[in-house]
Amino acid sequence: MKIEIQDILSKWKLYTLVNDNGMKVSFLDFGGIITNISVPDQTNTIENVVLGFKNYADYEKNSNYFGAIIGRVAGRIQDASFTIQNQTFLLEANEGDHHLHGGSGGYHQVIWRASPFQTDDTAGVKLTHKSLGGEGGYPGTIEVAVTYTLTNSNELILDYDGKSDETTVLTMTNHSYFNLSGNLAATIHNHHVTMESNEFVELDTRLIPTGNKINVSNTPFDFRTERKLGDGINSISAQNKVANSGYDHYFIFNQNKQQSIRVKEETSGRVMKIKTTQPGVVMYTANTLVEGLDLSEGKSRPYLGVCFETQASPASLHHAGFPPVILKAHELYEKQTVFSFGIER
C-alpha cells in the first residue's frame, strides 16, 4: 500500500492511493473530487472506470459534479426552502426555482483539510470541513468528515461523519460517474445492474419528487433481477422520458434485504458491488451530459457514465414517508458506502 501526493495548479493537492494489486484511486482535496479509479479487467488490463476532466482547472466549474463530495444535502430541495422546528429556511435557487446539491458553494467547491493514514492493508485520507451556520442558508455550524480508504481487497470505503450545534439537514454522497468498460470504451447501455428495491420515487417534469412512490413491478425500474441500463434509456415509459430518456430517480432499498447494488460490464468482465448503510440511492445515467467536454480518455457525451448517489431523500422535507435528512443538534451522522471491484469471466 502507498499514498502519493502531488501539487495541482499551485493550490490543490492530488492524493493517489495504490494497493498491492495495482488498483489506484486518485482524488483532490478540492471538493474531495475522485478523478480516477483504475482497476483490472478480465485480461488484467488496468484502466480507469470513472469520468474525469483531462485538465484539472476544469474542475473549478464542475457543473456535472464529476467525482465530487455532495452536501450539505445531495439532490434537489423543492422551491429552495424547507421548514424545521416551525422555522423556514431559504436556500439558493441554483436550478430553476429549486436548490441542487448544496448550492454553488456546496461541499464540491471547498478545499477540504486532508490527513493521510496508512496500515499494512489499507491506505487512506480523512477529509474534514467546517461550515458555519447560515452558509448557503442552512442552519447550524456543522463539522463534517469524509474518509476515503482503499484496501487490498480492491474496496474503496467512503465513511461520512458529521455533527451540528443546531438541528439542521444533512445527507452527503459522492457523485462519481462509473463506466466499467474502462477508459470510456463504450457507453453504459450494456451495464447490467441488480438492486434490491421494490419502490422508486416519481418525478414531475422539473425532476422534483411528487411525493408518490411507484412499485417497480412490470416497469423498467425493476432491478431486483439483473437488467441492462439500456432498457430504461430506450424505454417509452413516462418516468424514463421525464428524466430525459434514462434514469435520474431515487430508489428506496428494501429494508429486510442487504442494501447493495451489483453492476457488471460483460466485455471487460468488470463487476462493481456497492454496499451502503444509506436507505436509498439516486441512479443517474448521465442523460443530459453535454457533448464535447475534454475528459481524461476522450470527449463527453450522454450515457457515458452512471452515478450511484447513496443517500437519504430531500423529498422528506416536503412529503411524509421518505428517508429523512434531518440531523438533530449534537447527534452524530455516520454513514458508509463501500465500492468493491472484481471480475467475472
Side-chain angles (χ1 to χ4, degrees):
M1 306 293 297
K2 64 178 179 178
I3 303 174
E4 301 168 353
I5 305 174
Q6 179 183 353
D7 288 321
I8 300 294
L9 303 177
S10 302
K11 56 185 174 181
W12 304 334
K13 290 190 182 300
L14 179 73
Y15 293 85
T16 299
L17 313 177
V18 185
N19 72 9
D20 296 343
N21 308 316
M23 178 177 168
K24 180 174 71 174
V25 179
S26 297
F27 52 91
L28 296 166
D29 56 359
F30 175 68
I33 294 168
I34 295 174
T35 63
N36 184 291
I37 298 177
S38 292
V39 296
D41 68 1
Q42 59 189 341
T43 67
N44 209 34
T45 301
I46 295 178
E47 295 173 313
N48 181 26
V49 295
V50 293
L51 275 60
F53 284 116
K54 181 178 180 180
N55 302 308
Y56 289 108
D58 289 341
Y59 285 113
E60 289 193 287
K61 296 181 179 179
N62 189 10
S63 60
N64 296 288
Y65 305 92
F66 289 137
I69 296 170
I70 305 298
R72 292 188 187 189
V73 174
R76 294 173 175 86
I77 295 180
Q78 180 180 334
D79 299 325
S81 66
F82 62 92
T83 301
I84 51 176
Q85 298 178 328
N86 297 318
Q87 186 173 356
T88 298
F89 297 91
L90 303 178
L91 308 176
E92 174 191 9
N94 63 319
E95 190 185 61
D97 296 329
H98 312 293
H99 179 80
L100 176 66
H101 288 337
S104 58
Y107 293 165
H108 65 292
Q109 285 289 303
V110 303
I111 297 178
W112 294 65
R113 180 174 297 175
S115 302
F117 61 88
Q118 195 169 343
T119 70
D120 289 342
D121 297 315
T122 66
V125 176
K126 183 176 184 178
L127 301 171
T128 56
H129 175 65
K130 182 177 182 178
S131 53
L132 300 177
E135 280 186 8
Y138 288 101
T141 293
I142 190 165
E143 296 187 18
V144 291
V146 181
T147 304
Y148 294 162
T149 306
L150 178 63
T151 76
N152 273 328
S153 299
N154 285 7
E155 294 174 323
L156 175 60
I157 303 169
L158 276 59
D159 286 297
Y160 301 88
D161 299 277
K163 185 180 284 189
S164 174
D165 64 351
E166 298 178 39
T167 295
T168 187
V169 290
L170 183 70
T171 185
M172 294 186 285
T173 195
N174 178 271
H175 208 285
S176 289
Y177 291 69
F178 292 95
N179 186 323
L180 301 185
S181 68
N183 289 354
L184 307 184
T187 61
I188 46 86
H189 287 71
N190 289 322
H191 280 48
H192 296 253
V193 174
T194 310
M195 174 169 35
E196 281 291 343
S197 172
N198 291 341
E199 294 179 313
F200 72 97
V201 177
E202 183 182 54
L203 299 177
D204 67 18
T205 56
R206 305 162 300 164
L207 301 179
I208 298 297
T210 64
N212 295 328
K213 301 172 192 171
I214 300 178
N215 190 289
V216 300
S217 297
N218 302 312
T219 76
F221 294 80
D222 190 351
F223 290 93
R224 293 172 296 185
T225 56
E226 188 178 273
R227 177 186 291 277
K228 290 194 301 184
L229 292 178
D231 290 355
I233 293 169
N234 298 319
S235 169
I236 60 171
S237 158
Q239 278 297 294
N240 289 123
K241 290 294 187 184
V242 158
N244 299 290
S245 297
Y247 300 96
D248 194 4
H249 295 75
Y250 187 72
F251 291 79
I252 300 172
F253 292 130
N254 300 341
Q255 295 304 304
N256 61 337
K257 297 284 188 178
Q258 188 177 43
Q259 295 175 13
S260 61
I261 300 166
R262 184 179 185 274
V263 189
K264 181 185 177 184
E265 202 279 322
E266 287 185 339
T267 302
S268 69
R270 289 187 180 94
V271 174
M272 179 175 70
K273 295 178 181 178
I274 306 170
K275 294 183 179 180
T276 185
T277 59
Q278 291 279 20
V281 63
V282 173
M283 186 172 71
Y284 171 54
T285 46
N287 319 321
T288 58
L289 181 59
V290 299
E291 295 192 24
L293 299 175
D294 285 324
L295 305 182
S296 54
E297 288 88 20
K299 298 288 188 179
S300 67
R301 61 189 189 276
Y303 311 115
L304 200 54
V306 54
C307 302
F308 295 97
E309 303 161 54
T310 56
Q311 60 178 94
S313 174
S316 62
L317 295 171
H318 295 90
H319 303 284
F322 290 87
V325 297
I326 300 292
L327 179 67
K328 294 180 180 178
H330 309 295
E331 184 178 77
L332 187 61
Y333 176 94
E334 289 182 298
K335 301 294 180 182
Q336 183 182 79
T337 297
V338 180
F339 300 92
S340 60
F341 298 87
I343 55 172
E344 185 177 288
R345 292 181 172 87

mmCIF file of all heavy atoms in Angstrom, residues 55 57 86 132 155 179 273 294:
data_model
loop_
_atom_site.group_PDB
_atom_site.id
_atom_site.type_symbol
_atom_site.label_atom_id
_atom_site.label_comp_id
_atom_site.label_asym_id
_atom_site.label_seq_id
_atom_site.Cartn_x
_atom_site.Cartn_y
_atom_site.Cartn_z
ATOM 1 N N ASN A 55 -8.112 18.225 -17.977
ATOM 2 C CA ASN A 55 -7.408 19.354 -17.372
ATOM 3 C C ASN A 55 -8.002 19.645 -15.995
ATOM 4 O O ASN A 55 -9.212 19.900 -15.878
ATOM 5 C CB ASN A 55 -7.520 20.587 -18.265
ATOM 6 C CG ASN A 55 -6.957 20.347 -19.654
ATOM 7 O OD1 ASN A 55 -5.833 19.891 -19.803
ATOM 8 N ND2 ASN A 55 -7.752 20.646 -20.683
ATOM 9 N N ALA A 57 -7.953 22.185 -14.149
ATOM 10 C CA ALA A 57 -8.576 23.505 -13.990
ATOM 11 C C ALA A 57 -10.071 23.469 -14.284
ATOM 12 O O ALA A 57 -10.834 24.288 -13.757
ATOM 13 C CB ALA A 57 -7.886 24.514 -14.896
ATOM 14 N N ASN A 86 -40.666 24.671 13.027
ATOM 15 C CA ASN A 86 -41.504 25.843 12.757
ATOM 16 C C ASN A 86 -40.724 27.046 12.241
ATOM 17 O O ASN A 86 -41.218 28.181 12.293
ATOM 18 C CB ASN A 86 -42.283 26.243 14.022
ATOM 19 C CG ASN A 86 -43.247 25.172 14.462
ATOM 20 O OD1 ASN A 86 -43.940 24.565 13.643
ATOM 21 N ND2 ASN A 86 -43.287 24.915 15.771
ATOM 22 N N LEU A 132 -20.102 27.071 8.611
ATOM 23 C CA LEU A 132 -20.736 27.862 9.657
ATOM 24 C C LEU A 132 -22.243 27.953 9.456
ATOM 25 O O LEU A 132 -22.749 27.858 8.328
ATOM 26 C CB LEU A 132 -20.132 29.270 9.674
ATOM 27 C CG LEU A 132 -18.623 29.347 9.924
ATOM 28 C CD1 LEU A 132 -18.146 30.790 9.849
ATOM 29 C CD2 LEU A 132 -18.249 28.723 11.259
ATOM 30 N N GLU A 155 -11.373 -2.732 -2.397
ATOM 31 C CA GLU A 155 -12.523 -1.985 -1.892
ATOM 32 C C GLU A 155 -12.138 -0.528 -1.699
ATOM 33 O O GLU A 155 -11.068 -0.223 -1.154
ATOM 34 C CB GLU A 155 -12.976 -2.526 -0.534
ATOM 35 C CG GLU A 155 -13.528 -3.927 -0.545
ATOM 36 C CD GLU A 155 -13.805 -4.411 0.865
ATOM 37 O OE1 GLU A 155 -13.020 -4.086 1.781
ATOM 38 O OE2 GLU A 155 -14.807 -5.118 1.051
ATOM 39 N N ASN A 179 -17.997 3.945 -15.365
ATOM 40 C CA ASN A 179 -18.070 3.299 -16.671
ATOM 41 C C ASN A 179 -17.099 2.132 -16.643
ATOM 42 O O ASN A 179 -15.889 2.299 -16.788
ATOM 43 C CB ASN A 179 -17.718 4.282 -17.789
ATOM 44 C CG ASN A 179 -17.919 3.685 -19.166
ATOM 45 O OD1 ASN A 179 -17.664 2.502 -19.384
ATOM 46 N ND2 ASN A 179 -18.367 4.488 -20.122
ATOM 47 N N LYS A 273 -19.515 -3.920 -6.882
ATOM 48 C CA LYS A 273 -20.559 -4.117 -5.883
ATOM 49 C C LYS A 273 -20.552 -2.922 -4.937
ATOM 50 O O LYS A 273 -19.488 -2.413 -4.568
ATOM 51 C CB LYS A 273 -20.323 -5.406 -5.105
ATOM 52 C CG LYS A 273 -20.425 -6.666 -5.971
ATOM 53 C CD LYS A 273 -20.142 -7.920 -5.166
ATOM 54 C CE LYS A 273 -20.219 -9.162 -6.042
ATOM 55 N NZ LYS A 273 -19.910 -10.404 -5.285
ATOM 56 N N ASP A 294 -13.640 17.891 -22.569
ATOM 57 C CA ASP A 294 -12.377 17.161 -22.638
ATOM 58 C C ASP A 294 -12.195 16.321 -21.386
ATOM 59 O O ASP A 294 -11.810 16.835 -20.325
ATOM 60 C CB ASP A 294 -11.204 18.134 -22.790
ATOM 61 C CG ASP A 294 -11.104 18.705 -24.187
ATOM 62 O OD1 ASP A 294 -11.395 17.969 -25.142
ATOM 63 O OD2 ASP A 294 -10.748 19.891 -24.322
#
